[in-house]
Amino acid sequence: QAQAQASGVSTADYPMNHEAISNPPDTANFVDNEFVPSKTSQWIDLRDPATNNLVTRVPQSTEEELKAAVESAQKAFPAWRATSIMHKQQVMFKLASLVRENMDRLAASITLEQGKTFADAKGDVLRGLQVVETACGITTQLTGEVIEVAKDMETRSYREPLGVVAAICPFNFPAMIPLWSIPLATVTGNTLILKPSERDPGAAMILAELCKKAGFPDGVVNIVHGSAKTVDFIIDDPAIKAISFVGSNKAGEYIFTRGSAQGKRVQANLGAKNHAAVLPDANKNHALNSIAGAAFGAAGQRCMALSTLVMVGDTKDWLPELAERAKALKINGGFEPDADLGPLISPESKKRVEGLIASAEQEGATILLDGRGQKPEKYPNGNWVGPTIITNVKPNMKCYTEEIFGPVLVCLNVETIDEAIALINDNPYGNGAAIFTRSGATATRFQKEMEAGQLGINVPIPVPLPMFSFTGNKKSVAGTGASNFYGKDGLRFYTQWKTVTSLWRAEDAVATKASVNMPR
Ligand code: NAD
């Protein structure tokens, strides 16, 4: 049973525990609506972050396997593009209901492979499901424009699919981020090659199975595995017209530059350093709970985690209370009902996060709450770091300039809202920012002056719902950030306009000489 589970070929449930799996099976590619075992000789071990037990091996797919996936997507494109929009909508309805029915199963795969708690993993699935549900409205969202531009002459515009498109996903939202692409890429008529994170592809494999069940024809959704080499193949294969990337700056800037140079459309959402400014007039209880939840939830491995606290004026006196709330959060295996946060994704990640905490100490900051060395009794071998609060941080310290991506909150003091705005805007990242205040005037000023894509006013993680787009800014997106994920921008990314001007007039044949002037 375990074998079938991890390779995603069975409808069996993932185990809802962290017990070792005997004979862990390999993860397969998904091509032409079939799970295809890889013939590669290079494999990536995927370990449960709570125990470091082997869960599965993920293939570094061979060039032949990658080519087969692209060929399948190319072959599927003409018929899928020609499929009626009502039919595509029906497939979306079906996919939405299947994702909902399989929510626990998807969440279990996430907890096992990624480490986040089971309750949080369900949120990961839900936020992806909402994109599928919104895509069901495609029949009104994909309309073009038409106007009579002159007598008997009209111009109309259509949105056409691009062809074969690709998505390259990060490890931290194994269901939500594949679901930023799967519904919108396909409902607009494209066919898709998706590369999940090699660190937790299980949820994507369940989604593949659900796509097939929902009625996607062979080749419309394909899933291939691997790391940098697979990504290079995706960038370079001329049949792939567009790439959606979400992940780190290092990989994303490379993919954006190299992909754009090949003439591809590339959208790339990157790293973050999200600040929360807390004003003395804030509702203290709400602010402290929101900050503790958003800094330490998912072990800080969210691109919208609030990792930086800017304490304005006397709010620095609230730190002991914040530390109490952080201390009350329990680290544990994600399937344990009392777990508030799970482990980090890998031993390397734990080492990196601990190194950044140590660097803060060396640079003169204060470790108010130290999560290093913490581990739950039942899972001594996991990649644990407990909630950590670093105070007296200065903007030149490494813990401030680098994205930590762990359960670590860095805290800076300022005296005024002006200083808070200047400090936050000086940071090169611009994914999200939040303010906690009761003053409408202060909030409005923050809203107007802040250079970040997603703002929360008394809201800690303001990830936009799918009728809007995910709108990162500055270094949190590659290039100009002109192509956002999901919402209206998402539809725009996956389609190109075609504009047709036509003249239908019975008395056309009156002129006797060809006109050589630009038509007016
Ligand atoms: P990552 O960049 O390591 O991996 C993302 C994808 O890129 C994976 O599929 C991986 O195989 C591939 N990849 C990695 N290195 C590569 C290389 N050198 N060349 C080509 N491809 C490569 O990112 P991650 O660690 O999985 O995810 C965490 C990062 O993602 C954080 O920086 C986080 O802020 C960011 N993130 C951003 C958003 C957003 O919307 N802004 C959302 C989620 C995560």
Side-chain angles (χ1 to χ4, degrees):
Q1 185 190 335
Q3 193 153 21
Q5 286 155 7
S7 57
V9 293
S10 143
T11 53
D13 287 341
Y14 265 75
M16 302 281 271
N17 59 55
H18 297 283
E19 279 164 27
I21 301 169
S22 56
N23 296 324
D26 296 334
T27 294
N29 286 321
F30 182 77
V31 177
D32 246 356
N33 264 347
E34 296 298 335
F35 290 93
V36 188
S38 174
K39 295 199 170 71
T40 187
S41 56
Q42 292 173 292
W43 296 86
I44 304 154
D45 285 350
L46 189 160
R47 295 180 182 279
D48 175 350
T51 58
N52 277 302
N53 293 330
L54 190 67
V55 174
T56 182
R57 292 190 315 162
V58 181
Q60 294 278 17
S61 301
T62 65
E63 181 138 348
E64 242 171 44
E65 289 162 354
L66 298 173
K67 277 192 180 142
V70 174
E71 275 163 25
S72 162
Q74 273 183 297
K75 208 167 110 216
F77 177 61
W80 179 244
R81 168 196 189 139
T83 299
S84 81
I85 193 137
M86 302 306 285
H87 184 83
K88 291 191 186 107
Q89 185 190 38
Q90 287 306 315
V91 175
M92 278 306 126
F93 279 130
K94 186 78 186 147
L95 180 62
S97 76
L98 285 166
V99 171
R100 196 171 280 283
E101 276 165 34
N102 284 269
M103 182 166 293
D104 282 8
R105 198 172 147 231
L106 282 155
S109 85
I110 294 172
T111 299
L112 187 66
E113 295 187 353
Q114 198 273 353
K116 66 178 74 172
T117 67
F118 186 62
D120 195 33
K122 286 203 263 191
D124 185 330
V125 181
L126 180 71
R127 294 306 296 263
L129 169 61
Q130 290 168 337
V131 182
V132 187
E133 288 172 338
T134 305
C136 293
I138 194 66
T139 42
T140 49
Q141 292 162 359
L142 208 62
T143 48
E145 293 164 356
V146 59
I147 188 167
E148 194 175 49
V149 291
K151 184 168 182 303
D152 300 324
M153 181 180 276
E154 68 175 28
T155 298
R156 59 176 66 220
S157 58
Y158 302 87
R159 288 173 150 191
E160 299 200 330
L162 307 176
V164 180
V165 299
I168 300 166
C169 304
F171 81 84
N172 65 331
F173 281 96
M176 179 183 84
I177 290 177
L179 287 172
W180 283 2
S181 286
I182 294 171
L184 289 188
T186 56
V187 81
T188 47
N190 303 285
T191 55
L192 177 68
I193 309 283
L194 184 128
K195 193 202 88 63
S197 170
E198 63 276 28
R199 301 196 259 186
D200 48 22
M205 298 318 286
I206 298 175
L207 290 173
E209 179 198 307
L210 303 183
C211 283
K212 179 173 180 173
K213 276 200 188 140
F216 279 107
D218 297 355
V220 174
V221 175
N222 301 279
I223 301 198
V224 296
H225 302 288
S227 50
K229 232 176 101 201
T230 304
V231 169
D232 280 346
F233 176 90
I234 290 172
I235 300 173
D236 292 341
D237 191 301
I240 295 174
K241 304 296 178 207
I243 302 172
S244 299
F245 171 85
V246 181
S248 66
N249 281 66
K250 183 168 171 260
E253 281 160 15
Y254 164 74
I255 292 166
F256 182 84
T257 307
R258 185 160 155 178
S260 304
Q262 313 249 17
K264 299 193 180 189
R265 239 179 229 203
V266 187
Q267 56 177 181
N269 272 8
L270 312 178
K273 195 84 180 170
N274 307 307
H275 294 63
V278 183
L279 276 291
D281 67 357
N283 177 319
K284 183 171 157 190
N285 187 51
H286 174 68
L288 294 182
N289 278 337
S290 299
I291 290 158
F296 306 119
Q301 297 176 114
R302 292 184 183 131
C303 63
M304 285 291 280
L306 278 182
S307 55
T308 311
L309 174 60
V310 182
M311 297 170 296
V312 183
D314 291 343
T315 62
K316 56 184 172 301
D317 300 338
W318 300 358
L319 274 173
E321 255 185 82
L322 180 67
E324 282 312 306
R325 285 171 212 231
K327 232 189 272 177
L329 297 174
K330 191 160 172 146
I331 54 167
N332 210 346
F335 289 117
E336 303 295 338
D338 65 351
D340 291 307
L341 48 148
L344 292 173
I345 187 70
S346 64
E348 295 74 37
S349 178
K350 169 181 155 78
K351 207 170 143 203
R352 199 183 53 79
V353 170
E354 288 176 341
L356 282 163
I357 301 170
S359 78
E361 230 170 0
Q362 284 150 15
E363 290 183 292
T366 309
I367 313 296
L368 178 67
L369 181 66
D370 194 346
R372 288 172 295 180
Q374 282 185 25
K375 56 175 96 158
E377 221 169 278
K378 194 169 165 190
Y379 304 105
N381 299 325
N383 315 317
W384 305 104
V385 177
T388 299
I389 299 179
I390 309 178
T391 59
N392 296 317
V393 171
K394 301 279 178 276
N396 61 348
M397 292 180 181
K398 205 168 158 196
C399 68
Y400 181 76
T401 55
E402 284 196 20
E403 180 181 31
I404 300 179
F405 227 55
V408 180
L409 179 67
V410 301
C411 307
L412 299 91
N413 306 336
V414 295
E415 286 311 316
T416 63
I417 180 70
D418 303 69
E419 281 177 68
I421 291 174
L423 172 81
I424 302 172
N425 280 344
D426 263 356
N427 192 282
Y429 291 103
N431 215 33
I435 186 167
F436 292 87
T437 179
R438 281 189 174 109
S439 156
T442 308
T444 305
R445 191 166 156 220
F446 187 82
Q447 176 181 322
K448 290 231 163 89
E449 294 183 23
M450 195 47 44
E451 293 162 6
Q454 282 127 180
L455 300 184
I457 296 171
N458 299 315
V459 173
I461 306 182
V463 175
L465 285 166
M467 60 293 262
F468 293 93
S469 299
F470 194 101
T471 49
N473 195 342
K474 299 202 289 188
K475 205 178 147 186
S476 295
V477 289
T480 58
S483 295
N484 294 307
F485 283 76
Y486 63 84
K488 287 184 185 140
D489 282 4
L491 288 177
R492 211 170 288 139
F493 180 78
Y494 286 122
T495 54
Q496 56 197 343
W497 286 105
K498 180 177 278 174
T499 313
V500 181
T501 299
S502 49
L503 174 69
W504 294 107
R505 191 158 58 191
E507 65 273 21
D508 258 349
V510 286
T512 52
K513 189 169 178 234
S515 168
V516 292
N517 297 328
M518 184 72 182
R520 284 181 291 158

